[in-house]
């Protein structure tokens, strides 16, 4: 994969990794997979080792893949500390994904890739922002960047719609302005064909949460989790056999600081509003999966049904458990099967989206 940096319409920047455009045209109705990492990781999560990478599956099926550094991770502009009144961090982040990130990605790369829709792949703490964006995609029109868009922001309390601010880098000022103008042309506009969610649920694994929560200081802006703890919980010890040895050699490099407020929201606040305010409004197909040995969430049949059942208006909800999987599905040995499922399911969504009016 190759790095990219993209200016969005709010004068912020989004960075990440992407697969190169293929030399030959993509098959008809090919989707673009846009991947979002969980807390304390980055876009590198999806390209950790030659085996634990989305790249070979992208090449084999001809499905392009873009992994985003979420706001505040690596060089992607952070969400402002001062949140709009009445809005939570995950709501603001989801609005920003819907209003600015996805439209900018679509504008910049859809033509080069020859794709006709987007499928979002979300792991762990990126699941909430994905659900918010999918609900907004289903319920809102796509106004222009002008007066109608500004009125929409005012109706929303000027929330979530206003993306992060950043200092303009003079070395890329001209390119930034060009990309910003391009983003403005399609702000709020992208064809969403499906969402894939893993590593997030409704029934917490209490022993693990009890160990982790004392490390999260609600008064601190960010937290860096010890690599040894992440290896133990999210990958299991090497002796357990869930993860190949070369992954452990990369965990220090993959580790990043995380926003404390996203953990606080995801654990304590999100459960109170996500079903009625967002999940019930999602209309696109949903693939929901937990790992058999997820350290943070219980993967019982009841728990799976509870989460998946929130998407009552989705045209299709597939759900299940990855046997032999752990929280960081894409990093474990079972991740190869998971990646195959992700790409195959995304192709189905892309074709169905292209045939929706037939």
């Amino acid at each position: 994969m190759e790095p990219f940096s993209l200016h969005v319409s709010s004068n912020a920047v989004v960075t990440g990794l992407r697969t190169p455009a293929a030399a030959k045209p993509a098959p008809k109705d090919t989707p673009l997979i846009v991947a979002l990492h969980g807390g304390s990781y980055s876009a590198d999560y999806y390209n950790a080792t030659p085996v634990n990478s989305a790249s070979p599956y992208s090449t084999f099926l001809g499905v392009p893949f873009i992994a985003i550094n979420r706001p505040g991770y690596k060089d992607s502009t952070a969400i402002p500390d001062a949140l709009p009144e009445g809005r939570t961090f995950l709501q603001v982040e989801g609005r920003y994904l819907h209003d600015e990130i996805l439209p900018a990605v679509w504008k910049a790369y859809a033509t080069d890739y020859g794709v006709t829709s987007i499928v979002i792949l979300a792991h762990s703490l990126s699941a909430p922002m994905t659900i918010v964006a999918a609900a907004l995609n289903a319920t809102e029109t796509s106004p222009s960047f002008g007066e109608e868009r500004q009125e929409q922001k005012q109706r929303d309390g000027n929330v979530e719609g206003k993306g992060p601010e950043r200092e303009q880098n003079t070395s890329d000022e001209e390119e930034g302005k060009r990309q910003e103008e391009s983003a403005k042309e399609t702000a709020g506009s992208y064809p969403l064909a499906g969402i894939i969610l893993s590593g997030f649920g409704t029934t917490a694994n209490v022993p693990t949460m009890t160990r982790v929560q004392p490390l999260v200081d609600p008064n601190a802006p960010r937290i860096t989790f010890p690599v040894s703890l992440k290896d133990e919980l999210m990958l299991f010890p090497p002796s357990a056999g869930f993860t190949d040895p070369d992954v452990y050699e990369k965990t220090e490099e993959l580790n990043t600081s995380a926003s404390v407020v996203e953990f606080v929201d995801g654990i304590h606040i999100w459960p109170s509003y996500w079903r009625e305010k967002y999940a019930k409004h999602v209309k696109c197909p949903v693939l929901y999966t937990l790992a058999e040995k997820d350290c943070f969430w219980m993967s019982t049949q009841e728990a799976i049904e509870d989460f998946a059942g929130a998407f009552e208006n989705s045209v299709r909800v597939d759900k299940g458990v990855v046997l032999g999987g752990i929280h960081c599905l894409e990093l474990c040995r079972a991740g190869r099967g998971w990646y195959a499922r992700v790409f195959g399911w995304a192709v189905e969504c892309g074709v169905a989206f292209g045939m929706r009016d037939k």
Side-chain angles (χ1 to χ4, degrees), residues 87-108:
R87 300 290 176 170
T88 72
F89 179 88
L90 295 176
Q91 287 177 297
V92 173
E93 190 178 42
R95 166 64 75 175
Y96 179 44
L97 177 66
H98 168 71
D99 273 355
E100 312 212 23
I101 296 177
L102 292 176
V105 166
W106 185 252
K107 178 70 176 179

Side-chain angles (χ1 to χ4, degrees), residues 330-354:
E330 289 80 2
L331 299 183
C332 71
R333 292 171 57 221
R336 289 170 292 174
W338 169 240
Y339 265 131
R341 188 187 308 178
V342 163
F343 276 83
W345 195 85
V347 168
E348 291 182 39
C349 288
V351 172
F353 187 87

Side-chain angles (χ1 to χ4, degrees), residues 90-350:
L90 295 176
Q91 287 177 297
V92 173
E93 190 178 42
R95 166 64 75 175
Y96 179 44
L97 177 66
H98 168 71
D99 273 355
E100 312 212 23
I101 296 177
L102 292 176
V105 166
W106 185 252
K107 178 70 176 179
Y109 300 119
T111 300
D112 286 347
Y113 283 138
V115 293
T116 53
S117 63
I118 284 176
V119 173
I120 304 174
L121 169 62
H123 178 251
S124 195
L125 265 174
S126 66
M129 69 185 292
T130 299
I131 295 169
V132 171
L136 295 175
N137 181 270
T139 57
E140 292 188 352
T141 57
S142 300
S144 68
F145 193 79
E147 182 178 354
E148 185 179 358
R149 178 169 165 77
Q150 295 305 317
E151 290 175 353
Q152 177 69 46
K153 288 184 180 181
Q154 291 171 9
R155 289 195 297 271
D156 289 345
N158 200 26
V159 282
E160 317 128 305
K162 187 173 188 281
E165 300 290 341
R166 79 175 185 102
E167 292 295 324
Q168 180 65 46
N169 186 338
T170 54
S171 66
D172 64 353
E173 181 175 0
E174 182 175 346
E175 174 63 12
K177 287 182 178 179
R178 183 193 68 79
Q179 291 187 7
E180 183 180 345
E181 288 303 314
S182 294
K184 287 179 180 180
E185 293 176 13
T186 54
S189 174
Y190 58 95
L192 184 63
I195 59 174
I196 303 171
L197 311 171
S198 73
F200 201 83
T202 56
T203 308
N205 185 325
V206 176
T208 302
M209 292 295 190
T210 302
R211 289 186 62 186
V212 172
Q213 286 195 45
L215 301 176
V216 181
D217 180 359
N219 298 313
R222 300 186 72 81
I223 181 174
T224 301
F225 290 102
V227 171
S228 58
L229 180 64
K230 290 177 66 175
D231 286 355
E232 176 190 349
L233 296 178
M234 301 186 198
L235 301 179
F236 278 58
S239 59
F242 289 101
T243 308
D244 287 331
D246 56 345
V247 174
Y248 295 98
E249 297 174 6
K250 302 286 288 186
T251 52
E252 185 77 45
E253 181 181 334
L254 293 173
N255 194 28
T256 66
S257 68
S259 169
V260 168
V261 69
E262 73 179 18
F263 283 96
V264 173
D265 189 354
I267 296 171
H268 299 293
I269 309 173
W270 172 258
S272 69
Y273 66 82
W274 77 284
R275 294 176 188 270
E276 287 299 313
K277 193 169 182 63
Y278 295 108
K280 71 179 295 183
H281 300 291
V282 173
K283 295 179 180 178
C284 68
V286 177
L287 170 59
Y288 173 61
T289 300
L290 276 178
E292 178 187 15
K293 300 294 184 179
D294 194 292
C295 60
F296 295 116
W297 305 101
M298 302 302 293
S299 56
T300 62
Q301 185 64 35
E302 182 181 12
I304 297 291
E305 294 285 352
D306 181 55
F307 188 96
F311 300 97
E312 57 189 76
N313 290 307
S314 170
V315 66
R316 169 186 176 186
V317 180
D318 293 334
K319 56 189 180 296
V321 174
V322 175
L323 298 177
I326 55 179
H327 179 71
C328 291
L329 268 178
E330 289 80 2
L331 299 183
C332 71
R333 292 171 57 221
R336 289 170 292 174
W338 169 240
Y339 265 131
R341 188 187 308 178
V342 163
F343 276 83
W345 195 85
V347 168
E348 291 182 39
C349 288

